[in-house]
Amino acid sequence: MPADPLPDVPHDKEAWRRAGLARRAALDPTELLQRRRGWLRHGLDAVAAAGAGVVSLYLSRGEEPGTLDLAAELEKRGVDVLAPMLTDGRGHGVHEITWGHYHHDDLRDGLWGIPEPSGPALPASALASADLVICSALWVDRDGFRVGVGGGWYDRALPHRRPGAPVWAMVDSCEIVDAVPHDPWDIGVDAALTPAGLVRLGPATRPE
């Protein structure tokens, strides 16, 4: 694989998004499979170590860090998985934050082909039941700031989490960088779940 593309304009979020999407698009299927196996193995270990009985987890598509196997295995182990619902079930997108209980045999294609639960929709406040939130990201930095795909969904969802509930971003190891652009209202994450394991983030983790 060629060297990872980096943004030409380091303070431009859109440049970071383009670079992140280009990097993931360059991965071959063998590399993707290896990474997904790592996310599954270390994700199960990390969730178990956190003692989480309810996990909020996005459902992946395409070259995103794979969560479908992780969600299915968590369900088998008795963990309640909450997943985003982006449609009303009739093909129309919803503007409010909505969640659903994940069941591996009861999913539908939502907006842009993103899998989502088919069951009843839960309000944004349902996130408060989660012991752990695992969100999507293209990049994270050492202080815990993330660059997502740009829809702002998690920026609006995360304020509803329970105080003290940790937030992890799923990224590749090389998608953890020293700094990404962020705005005053951005909510940081506590750790990055990578194919090699969980990496703690935040100012307290930086060497003095």
Side-chain angles (χ1 to χ4, degrees), residues 127-206:
L127 186 61
S129 68
D131 303 308
L132 167 66
V133 179
I134 302 177
C135 66
S136 62
L138 288 166
W139 306 92
V140 293
D141 68 18
R142 299 290 177 183
D143 288 331
F145 292 108
R146 57 183 281 275
V147 173
V149 296
W153 201 90
Y154 271 104
D155 293 328
R156 293 182 288 125
L158 289 177
H160 296 277
R161 74 194 188 283
R162 186 173 71 244
V167 181
W168 302 346
M170 273 186 75
V171 293
D172 205 346
S173 300
C174 61
E175 292 169 342
I176 303 173
V177 296
D178 284 339
V180 297
H182 62 273
D183 296 302
W185 56 83
D186 287 341
I187 296 174
V189 301
D190 302 290
L193 181 57
T194 79
L198 193 67
V199 179
R200 301 290 177 183
L201 302 172
T205 66
R206 284 186 177 269

Side-chain angles (χ1 to χ4, degrees), residues 48-102:
V54 181
V55 174
S56 166
L57 178 64
Y58 75 97
L59 302 181
S60 60
R61 62 164 184 162
E63 293 87 17
E64 286 185 306
T67 65
L68 298 180
D69 289 342
L70 177 58
E73 188 59 35
L74 288 173
E75 182 189 24
K76 287 181 185 177
R77 297 185 181 197
V79 176
D80 185 10
V81 177
L82 290 176
M85 295 177 66
L86 304 182
T87 74
D88 61 2
R90 297 184 295 275
H92 303 115
V94 293
H95 298 291
E96 67 273 12
I97 300 300
T98 309
W99 300 94
H101 288 288
Y102 166 89

Side-chain angles (χ1 to χ4, degrees), residues 1-5 19-20 22-28 31 35 172 174-175:
M1 177 181 168
D4 294 336
R23 182 195 171 276
R24 289 180 177 177
L27 293 172
D28 67 38
E31 290 175 309
R35 284 162 170 75
D172 205 346
C174 61
E175 292 169 342

Side-chain angles (χ1 to χ4, degrees), residues 106-121:
D106 191 17
L107 299 175
R108 67 190 181 210
D109 285 339
L111 288 182
W112 309 295
I114 299 172
E116 65 182 21
S118 298

